């Protein structure tokens, strides 16, 4: 669930290069990080997603942060001290709920939820008490009645009610082995600003239950190991207002009721935990299609959205059918129900959710057409649609025993969606995008106070562990299984995993055992990837003695020096620097000791030097460091950039040359750009590069977030200035070649029909990269105006959103030259007016301004927070402006601390409204120890202010406490 996303979530334009590097590791993690979440949704104040509803609620929430809730006949505070939960303390419950029937009776301002739970004693439980413990959020649900097989229970005698639990005393059980419990609760989804549980979004009611949202709907064992069959879910609502009534599984019946109401009954034949439950009720439009599985079953496919967005659903439908076919071909996995529904929701904390047979999506990952979506949006829709579909087996059919095992389903499914995206487009391009995202986000997480293994040992708020580590690094761990065992071995392991655990709740150890047993492999040491945190650093050196080549490796983890050596698969080859011949063909080394040497016989005597190509395909999530002399390193990188047959390492070599140049510029070292110029020219002109996306990525400089991970003390402004300086030098040096490339591509693409495929996307990506360099070559007022005119023309000649956003992003940086500013303002106004209130397009408009390099960008952002189209209540809109500004490193980290103060104020508001989004947003402050003393003190001061908020949510408190401890 939840695209890093993250998620894993990208906002539409953190910077120009971010828009070009599209898929990355975002996926469903949409909101894992506010600086890498997808451009999302918002409706004008006159439309469905009205901010004034939340504004009125905030006026009630903010004056007093201690929420109270009515239950039975009493008021009580729901503020309970946050409890840290430990993996080692896992126990099965004393009772299982084996089947469930529910009814939702929906009225404006009130919904009545009735549940019948068939309870069965768990003979394997080690609990001393046999009481039935049901989770429930007293701030969201009001208990109206409890019965056991027709007998009404009495509070204080038969049950105890706390702010977070309904405890049915075992003395009230008519039969200790099995009985039926019935509850009735009331909830007000219209007041649910947390967007967790059952809530109202525009013209629809919907649910979000992962991780612990079901307890905000009714009382239930809200834990993933309790898998029950939802035999009947009955939904009743006003037919005219809410003609669509959806839940999990298959539709059993529908009928009209008195008073203009109607009813639908759904049944899900597959046992599932409560986090996979879903209900959607609304006045929606849809498109329909079907898919015939390998075994010949016909599955009805339907994708729903608000009626005005139905024209943007076709690409999602095509992606869904491609996903179903890919999973059958790759893993032999068929879909198992007769219906597959997807619903696009405006107000959604995450990227998407894999509820069985009824996926609920953030609109950012469903809606896409030529007019409103960039290439990155199209790629994300394809990847996230695939991700949620793949969860049907890796997450739904086999789920997690407990939330500590979250990476079991998320890391595995991210790996599967990355593989799908690579097969649909280019594997090399997808790999580059994924690693860029990993380094920019997960490496930073590993180096900060929220560092944790992919399987954490404890948590206070589980929502805080939908992280880049669990998702992105978790996917890298799965990829290492594939690398170590080979694709055939990995498939054998997957088959055994499903054979053993289909229909049950499993653990990470169960998955590792299946992989080991299916291949008769020793993976005991590999388990350390689940238990040890931090990013390992692998250092290497090499030597040649006659025809014997020796590679020396060492590993350590600076952030966790007590770590034992990892089992690191190192994909490796050797290249002749003179001829490019492969002197050692690519194969995998099993690096298991702190230091280890490997020797090889070369296939022939090298005519130049024998250059090692280490960690091909980024075969493990590590930092790779050469111990050769600077001169040898540069020579080796030039060889790899020219000759490496591995697409990733060829790109990586150029990135390392660029990185060295940027840091030399930053530190004022003697600057010799010969190697950089050579690598850049080779990428610009080489006939060996057939993929335009690969050429574009080879021309792009490393991102500021990725570069920051190479620094002990981050200098955000200096880093920005150094990167800008190197970019300008390249633009001047290759002015003619870049201009010719831009002109050639412009001519080739003139009048071409818009297409969404790897070739067309590559051409746009390369042309927009060239435009970026053309416009970077500016110093004088005349040059600034000339580049602004070029971008201005690019915008008005564009036939798609990708090209418009590229041009507008460049123009957004213009300042100080009146004629150029006029061109900028014209394009911003034109873009806004053309959006016509489209939420996805307006999010891009906000983000582009928030990530501008203008010196007064914070003033612009503050002003935009008062814009009629801005609201803090919609997560995507909030991220598109406030979150995007935190990604604008130089501006956010202004020395006067104004950026920190701004974000601190916004987190205060957000925490009262939506703790999940607030806890994500506070992540931009927690790495204060990596900055200079002045900045660190100002960031720390804001964290202390946040910690002192009365009634601070457990979500935000956990992260702030860890940062300050």
């Amino acid at each position: 669930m939840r695209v890093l996303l993250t998620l894993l979530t990208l906002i539409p334009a953190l910077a120009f290069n971010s828009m070009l590097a599209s898929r990355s590791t975002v996926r469903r993690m949409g909101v894992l990080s506010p600086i890498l979440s997808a451009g999302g949704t918002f409706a004008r104040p006159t439309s469905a997603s009205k901010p004034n509803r939340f504004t009125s609620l905030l006026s009630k929430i903010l004056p007093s942060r201690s929420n109270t809730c009515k239950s039975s006949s009493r008021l009580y505070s729901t503020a309970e001290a946050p409890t840290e939960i430990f993996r080692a303390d896992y126990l099965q419950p004393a009772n299982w709920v084996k089947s469930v029937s529910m009814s939702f009776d929906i009225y404006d301002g009130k919904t009545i939820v009735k549940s019948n739970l068939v309870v069965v004693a768990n003979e394997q439980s080690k609990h001393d008490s046999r009481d039935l413990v049901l989770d429930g959020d007293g701030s969201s649900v009001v208990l109206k009645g409890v019965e056991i097989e027709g007998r009404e229970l009495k509070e204080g005698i038969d049950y105890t009610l706390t702010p977070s639990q309904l405890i049915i005393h075992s003395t009230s059980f008519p039969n200790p082995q099995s009985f039926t419990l019935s509850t009735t609760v009331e909830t007000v989804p219209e007041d649910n600003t947390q967007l967790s549980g059952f809530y109202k979004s525009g013209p629809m009611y919907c649910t979000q239950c992962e991780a612990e949202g079901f307890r905000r709907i009714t009382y239930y064992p809200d834990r993933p190991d309790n898998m029950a069959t939802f035999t009947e879910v009955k939904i009743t609502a006003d037919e005219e207002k809410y003609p669509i009534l959806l839940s999990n599984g298959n539709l059993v019946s529908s009928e009209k009721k008195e008073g203009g109401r109607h009813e639908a009954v759904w049944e899900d034949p597959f046992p599932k935990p409560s986090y996979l439950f879903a209900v959607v009720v609304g006045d929606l439009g849809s498109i329909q299609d079907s898919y015939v599985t390998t075994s010949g079953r016909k599955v009805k496919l339907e994708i729903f959205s608000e009626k005005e967005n139905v024209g943007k659903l076709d690409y999602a439908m095509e992606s869904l059918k491609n996903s179903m076919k890919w999973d059958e071909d790759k893993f032999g996995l068929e879909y198992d129900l007769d219906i597959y529904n997807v619903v696009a929701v405006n107000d959604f904390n995450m990227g998407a959710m894999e509820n069985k047979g009824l996926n609920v999506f953030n609109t950012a990952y469903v809606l896409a057409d030529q007019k409103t979506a960039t290439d990155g949006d199209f790629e994300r829709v394809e990847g996230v649609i695939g991700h949620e579909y793949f969860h049907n087996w890796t997450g739904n059919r086999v789920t997690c025993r407990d939330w500590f095992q979250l990476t079991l389903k998320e890391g595995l499914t991210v790996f599967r969606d990355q593989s799908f995206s690579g097969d649909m487009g280019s594997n090399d391009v997808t790999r580059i995008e994924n690693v860029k995202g990993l380094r920019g986000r997960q490496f930073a997480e590993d180096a900060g106070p929220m560092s944790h293994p992919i399987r954490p040992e404890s948590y206070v708020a589980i929502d805080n562990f939908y992280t880049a580590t669990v998702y992105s690094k978790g996917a890298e761990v799965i990829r290492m299984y594939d690398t170590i065992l080979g694709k055939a071995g990995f498939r054998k392991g997957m088959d055994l995993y499903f054979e053993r655990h289909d229909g049950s709740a499993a653990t990470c150890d169960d998955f590792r055992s299946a992989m080991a047993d299916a291949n008769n492999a020793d993976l005991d040491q590999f388990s350390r990837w689940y238990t040890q945190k931090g990013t390992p650093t692998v250092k290497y050196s090499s030597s040649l003695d006659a025809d014997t080549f020796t590679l020396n490796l060492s590993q350590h983890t600076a952030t966790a020096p007590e770590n034992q050596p990892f089992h690191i698969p190192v994909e490796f080859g050797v290249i002749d620097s003179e001829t490019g011949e492969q002197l050692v063909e690519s194969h995998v080394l099993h690096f298991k000791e702190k230091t280890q040497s490997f020797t090889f016989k070369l296939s022939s005597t090298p005519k130049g030097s024998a250059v090692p190509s280490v960690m091909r395909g980024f075969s493990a999530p590590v930092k790779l460091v050469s111990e050769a002399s600077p001169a040898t390193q540069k020579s080796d990188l030039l060889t790899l950039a020219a000759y490496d047959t591995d697409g990733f390492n060829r790109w990586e070599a150029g990135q390392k040359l660029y990185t060295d140049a940027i840091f030399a510029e930053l530190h004022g070292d003697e600057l010799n750009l010969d190697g950089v110029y050579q690598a850049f020219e080779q990428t610009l002109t080489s006939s060996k590069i057939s993929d335009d996306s690969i050429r574009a990525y080879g021309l792009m400089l490393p991102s500021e977030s990725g570069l920051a991970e190479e620094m002990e003390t981050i200098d955000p402004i200096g880093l920005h200035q150094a990167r800008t300086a190197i970019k300008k030098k390249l633009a001047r040096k290759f002015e003619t070649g870049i201009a010719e490339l831009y002109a050639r591509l412009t001519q080739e693409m003139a009048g071409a029909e818009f297409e969404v495929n790897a070739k067309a996307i590559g051409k746009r990506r390369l042309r927009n990269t060239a435009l970026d360099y053309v416009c970077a070559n500016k110093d004088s007022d005349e040059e600034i105006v000339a580049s602004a005119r070029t971008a201005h023309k690019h915008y008005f000649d564009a036939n798609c959103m990708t090209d418009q956003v590229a041009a507008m992003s460049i123009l957004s940086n213009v300042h100080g030259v009146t004629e150029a500013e006029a061109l900028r303002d014209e394009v911003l106004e034109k873009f806004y007016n053309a959006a016509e209130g489209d939420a996805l397009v307006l999010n891009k408009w906000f983000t582009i301004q928030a990530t501008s390099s203008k010196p007064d960008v914070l003033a612009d952002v503050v002003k935009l927070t008062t814009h009629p189209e801005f609201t803090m209540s919609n997560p995507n809109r909030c991220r598109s402006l406030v979150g995007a500004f935190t990604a604008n490193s130089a501006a956010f980290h202004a020395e006067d601390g104004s950026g920190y103060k701004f974000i601190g104020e916004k987190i205060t508001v957000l925490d009262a409204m939506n703790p999940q989004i607030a806890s994500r947003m506070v992540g931009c402050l927690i790495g204060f120890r990596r900055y200079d003393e002045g900045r660190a003190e100002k960031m720390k001061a804001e964290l202390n202010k946040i910690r002192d908020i009365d009634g601070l949510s457990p979500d935000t408190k956990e992260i702030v406490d860890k940062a300050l401890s």
Side-chain angles (χ1 to χ4, degrees):
M1 164 212 135
R2 308 185 178 206
V3 187
L4 181 196
L5 305 224
T6 155
L7 3 287
L8 234 281
T9 42
L10 295 172
I11 42 185
L14 292 180
F16 178 73
N17 286 349
S18 296
M19 292 179 297
L20 301 178
S22 52
R23 277 186 294 264
S24 193
T25 52
V26 189
R27 304 302 177 205
R28 292 171 315 126
M29 296 188 294
V31 298
L32 276 181
S33 162
I35 65 172
L36 283 174
S37 52
T41 65
F42 171 85
R44 288 172 178 266
T46 56
S47 70
S49 184
K50 296 182 181 180
N52 48 333
R53 170 169 69 93
F54 290 96
T55 303
S56 63
L57 286 171
L58 276 178
S59 66
K60 302 174 186 177
I61 295 171
L62 286 175
S64 172
R65 293 297 302 273
S66 57
N67 295 335
T68 58
C69 142
K70 198 171 186 178
S71 179
S72 300
S73 59
R74 68 175 184 223
L75 281 171
Y76 56 79
S77 170
T78 61
E80 292 183 324
T83 302
E84 188 169 10
I85 300 169
F86 294 87
R87 184 172 71 91
D89 293 339
Y90 171 80
L91 287 175
Q92 290 186 4
N95 304 276
W96 298 115
V97 171
K98 286 297 186 180
S99 68
V100 187
S101 63
M102 299 181 72
S103 68
F104 285 72
D105 209 3
I106 300 170
Y107 298 89
D108 290 342
K110 180 177 75 172
T111 293
I112 302 167
V113 180
K114 295 183 179 180
S115 305
N116 295 312
L117 314 181
V118 176
V119 181
V120 176
N122 178 8
E123 301 298 339
Q124 296 180 336
S125 174
K126 297 180 181 179
H127 280 282
D128 295 332
S129 170
R130 306 309 296 178
D131 292 351
L132 173 63
V133 179
L134 304 177
D135 301 300
D137 184 343
S139 66
S140 302
V141 295
V142 179
L143 184 64
K144 290 297 184 179
V146 190
E147 295 181 354
I148 289 184
E149 298 181 353
R151 181 176 75 85
E152 185 174 350
L153 303 188
K154 295 182 180 180
E155 185 176 1
I157 299 174
D158 298 310
Y159 70 86
T160 299
L161 188 64
T162 76
S164 61
Q165 289 182 333
L166 170 61
I167 303 169
I168 311 297
H169 302 156
S170 59
T171 54
S172 68
F173 296 177
N175 179 345
Q177 297 305 310
S178 179
F179 59 89
T180 299
L181 176 81
S182 302
T183 62
T184 301
V185 304
E186 284 185 6
T187 184
V188 184
E190 291 84 352
D191 289 352
N192 184 353
T193 66
Q194 293 189 38
L195 313 185
S196 169
F198 188 49
Y199 65 95
K200 186 86 181 288
S201 173
M204 73 180 86
Y205 293 93
C206 57
T207 54
Q208 171 51 43
C209 294
E210 188 174 354
E212 296 178 339
F214 196 79
R215 66 190 62 191
R216 308 188 79 239
I217 298 174
T218 190
Y219 288 94
Y220 192 82
D222 193 14
R223 47 189 290 161
D225 58 351
N226 192 114
M227 300 181 71
T229 304
F230 284 67
T231 57
E232 179 182 271
V233 176
K234 184 184 298 183
I235 309 166
T236 309
D238 184 279
E239 185 172 16
E240 182 178 357
K241 287 183 179 179
Y242 310 109
I244 303 297
L245 309 175
L246 303 173
S247 190
N248 309 90
N250 296 316
L251 180 65
V252 175
S253 65
S254 60
E255 61 177 294
K256 295 183 182 295
K257 308 292 283 186
E258 294 181 357
R261 295 171 69 75
H262 69 140
E263 174 185 285
V265 179
W266 292 79
E267 176 190 16
D268 186 351
F270 292 94
K272 65 174 178 283
S274 54
Y275 82 85
L276 290 173
F277 177 81
V279 163
V280 174
V281 175
D283 185 9
L284 307 171
S286 71
I287 64 170
Q288 297 182 10
D289 207 329
S290 63
Y291 180 82
V292 178
T293 68
T294 299
S295 64
R297 287 189 310 104
K298 188 174 182 179
V299 181
K300 178 187 175 183
L301 309 177
E302 192 162 8
I303 302 181
F304 297 84
S305 71
E306 295 185 357
K307 292 178 178 178
E308 63 268 25
N309 290 324
V310 167
K312 303 172 189 173
L313 299 176
D314 290 340
Y315 190 75
M317 182 65 81
E318 194 64 29
S319 298
L320 176 57
K321 291 189 291 185
N322 288 339
S323 303
M324 298 176 83
K325 178 70 165 59
W326 183 88
D327 217 14
E328 289 176 343
D329 293 345
K330 203 82 169 181
F331 291 102
L333 301 174
E334 281 192 21
Y335 185 62
D336 49 13
L337 290 170
D338 301 328
I339 300 173
Y340 193 96
N341 289 325
V342 174
V343 182
V345 176
N346 265 330
D347 302 288
F348 202 67
N349 284 339
M350 310 305 161
M353 181 61 214
E354 71 268 19
N355 320 293
K356 184 73 178 182
L358 178 58
N359 291 177
V360 180
F361 270 64
N362 188 316
T363 50
Y365 298 102
V366 178
L367 308 181
D369 65 9
Q370 178 179 355
K371 184 180 178 183
T372 62
T374 64
D375 291 336
D377 294 331
F378 279 107
E379 290 177 323
R380 282 188 289 274
V381 166
E382 178 183 68
V384 178
I385 287 282
H387 184 106
E388 303 310 327
Y389 174 75
F390 301 144
H391 262 313
N392 187 61
W393 280 90
T394 51
N396 297 3
R397 290 283 290 258
V398 184
T399 194
C400 303
R401 186 196 72 177
D402 54 71
W403 288 121
F404 296 102
Q405 319 296 329
L406 180 60
T407 197
L408 173 69
K409 73 182 186 79
E410 294 302 346
L412 176 54
T413 307
V414 169
F415 168 74
R416 277 156 49 73
D417 83 52
Q418 290 175 352
S419 302
F420 166 68
S421 294
D423 288 347
M424 292 297 103
S426 162
N427 281 299
D428 283 342
V429 170
T430 302
R431 192 68 185 131
I432 288 168
E433 292 173 351
N434 291 334
V435 175
K436 282 166 67 77
L438 181 83
R439 287 172 171 165
R441 299 172 57 229
Q442 196 280 319
F443 279 17
E445 195 166 88
D446 259 351
M450 282 296 290
S451 178
H452 58 277
I454 65 169
R455 184 180 61 191
E457 293 301 321
S458 68
Y459 63 79
V460 173
I462 184 54
D463 286 325
N464 288 337
F465 281 93
Y466 283 78
T467 61
T469 297
V470 165
Y471 278 73
S472 302
K473 187 174 182 178
E476 294 299 318
V477 170
I478 300 298
R479 185 178 298 277
M480 286 191 286
Y481 282 112
D482 187 78
T483 302
I484 290 168
L485 301 173
K487 296 198 177 302
F490 184 78
R491 172 63 188 272
K492 285 169 60 180
M494 288 286 282
D495 290 346
L496 182 58
Y497 174 63
F498 293 127
E499 180 184 327
R500 287 178 172 177
H501 302 291
D502 186 14
S504 67
T507 67
C508 295
D509 290 333
D510 291 331
F511 183 83
R512 181 172 55 85
S513 294
M515 285 288 159
D517 294 348
N519 292 278
N520 194 27
D522 180 0
L523 294 174
D524 289 349
Q525 184 177 345
F526 191 80
S527 67
R528 291 172 184 166
W529 286 103
Y530 290 95
T531 60
Q532 298 183 162
K533 65 183 181 179
T535 304
T537 295
V538 173
K539 295 182 179 181
Y540 72 95
S541 63
S542 62
S543 61
L544 181 63
D545 181 9
D547 64 346
T548 300
F549 185 92
T550 300
L551 178 71
N552 305 303
L553 299 174
S554 67
Q555 60 168 294
H556 76 282
T557 308
T559 53
E562 73 282 2
N563 278 353
Q564 296 299 304
F566 290 91
H567 178 177
I568 301 176
V570 178
E571 193 162 348
F572 170 77
V574 180
I575 299 171
D576 188 333
S577 65
E578 186 68 27
T579 65
E581 179 187 353
Q582 301 294 302
L583 301 173
V584 174
E585 293 296 331
S586 189
H587 61 286
V588 176
L589 310 176
H590 295 275
F591 177 29
K592 297 184 176 182
E593 307 297 332
K594 287 191 175 181
T595 61
Q596 203 167 345
S597 295
F598 301 86
T599 59
F600 311 89
K601 293 292 184 181
L602 301 185
S603 60
S604 63
T605 302
K607 293 183 170 54
S609 57
V611 176
S613 175
V614 186
M615 214 64 70
R616 285 180 159 178
F618 197 69
S619 58
V622 303
K623 294 183 178 181
L624 185 65
V625 176
S626 171
E627 295 188 292
S629 68
T632 299
Q633 285 186 48
K634 180 182 287 188
S635 174
D636 287 354
L637 290 173
L638 288 170
T639 296
L640 297 176
Y643 296 122
D644 204 327
T645 55
D646 180 75
F648 177 84
N649 266 15
R650 187 168 181 162
W651 167 80
E652 175 85 320
Q655 294 294 294
K656 287 182 177 179
L657 288 166
Y658 298 153
T659 297
D660 291 344
I662 291 168
F663 283 129
E665 176 77 23
L666 173 64
H667 299 138
D669 298 338
E670 182 179 349
L671 203 60
N672 182 347
L673 296 179
D674 290 347
V676 172
Y677 289 154
Q678 185 178 336
F680 191 91
E681 182 175 25
Q682 187 171 275
T683 303
L684 184 65
T685 62
S686 175
S687 60
K688 296 179 181 179
I689 302 175
S690 58
D691 189 322
D692 285 333
S693 282
I694 291 291
R695 194 184 303 275
Y697 281 125
L699 295 174
M700 294 179 198
L701 297 180
S703 68
E704 288 178 30
S705 61
L707 290 165
E709 289 313 302
E710 302 294 322
M711 305 179 72
E712 280 193 31
T713 301
I714 301 172
D715 177 1
I717 294 175
L719 186 57
H720 174 75
Q721 291 172 341
R723 186 180 181 276
T724 301
I726 295 299
K727 184 176 179 181
K728 188 175 291 187
K729 292 178 192 298
L730 288 168
R732 286 217 180 275
K733 175 71 174 178
F734 298 99
E735 181 176 8
T736 302
I738 292 170
E740 289 175 352
L741 174 63
Y742 178 73
R744 174 176 65 78
L745 290 169
T746 299
Q747 184 176 9
E748 288 178 8
M749 297 166 68
E753 183 179 348
F754 176 79
E755 295 179 290
V756 182
N757 54 52
K759 184 176 180 181
I761 289 172
K763 277 187 177 293
R764 286 190 288 271
R765 183 171 281 136
L766 182 57
R767 179 170 175 258
N768 287 328
T769 300
L771 173 71
D772 191 37
Y773 275 105
V774 166
C775 295
N777 186 11
K778 57 188 181 183
D779 282 315
S780 67
D781 287 1
E782 292 78 10
E783 289 173 328
I784 292 171
V785 170
S787 69
R789 286 174 179 165
T790 300
H792 182 271
K793 185 177 188 306
H794 189 93
Y795 178 89
F796 282 97
D797 288 346
N799 73 339
C800 64
M801 179 57 67
T802 297
D803 292 345
Q804 287 184 337
V805 166
M808 188 165 65
S809 297
I810 291 167
L811 284 166
S812 70
N813 299 321
V814 168
H815 64 276
V817 180
T818 303
E819 185 178 346
E821 287 181 338
L823 296 172
R824 175 201 68 200
D825 294 343
E826 179 189 356
V827 166
L828 285 170
E829 183 178 6
K830 174 74 173 177
F831 189 89
Y832 175 83
N833 291 333
E836 296 181 333
D838 185 286
L840 298 174
V841 178
L842 287 174
N843 283 344
K844 295 172 174 62
W845 184 77
F846 278 103
T847 292
I848 285 168
Q849 294 177 83
T851 53
S852 165
S853 62
K854 289 174 56 184
D856 59 345
V857 62
L858 177 56
D860 289 347
V861 170
V862 171
K863 184 177 179 181
L864 285 168
T865 60
T866 66
H867 193 282
E869 294 285 7
F870 182 75
T871 172
M872 292 283 284
S873 67
N874 179 274
N876 291 336
R877 184 51 49 85
C878 178
R879 290 190 290 265
S880 74
L881 181 65
V882 180
F885 174 72
T886 68
N888 190 344
S889 186
F892 175 62
H893 291 287
E895 292 188 34
D896 63 0
S898 54
Y900 310 146
K901 182 179 179 182
F902 168 78
I903 199 66
E905 292 170 350
K906 297 306 174 190
I907 289 168
T908 301
V909 174
L910 277 171
D911 190 71
M913 181 194 307
N914 190 330
Q916 285 189 40
I917 303 302
S919 65
R920 303 289 189 270
M921 201 73 75
V922 81
C924 64
L925 295 170
I926 65 175
F928 63 88
R929 290 180 175 85
R930 299 195 62 198
Y931 293 85
D932 61 86
E933 185 177 352
R935 287 186 174 89
E937 287 302 316
K938 292 180 177 67
M939 295 168 81
K940 187 176 178 182
E942 291 303 322
L943 287 171
N944 278 310
K945 289 180 189 175
I946 293 167
R947 185 168 62 177
D948 290 342
I949 293 173
D950 181 32
L952 185 68
S953 71
D955 304 60
T956 305
K957 179 175 171 51
E958 177 180 20
I959 292 179
V960 172
D961 283 348
K962 285 187 174 182
L964 292 173
S965 65

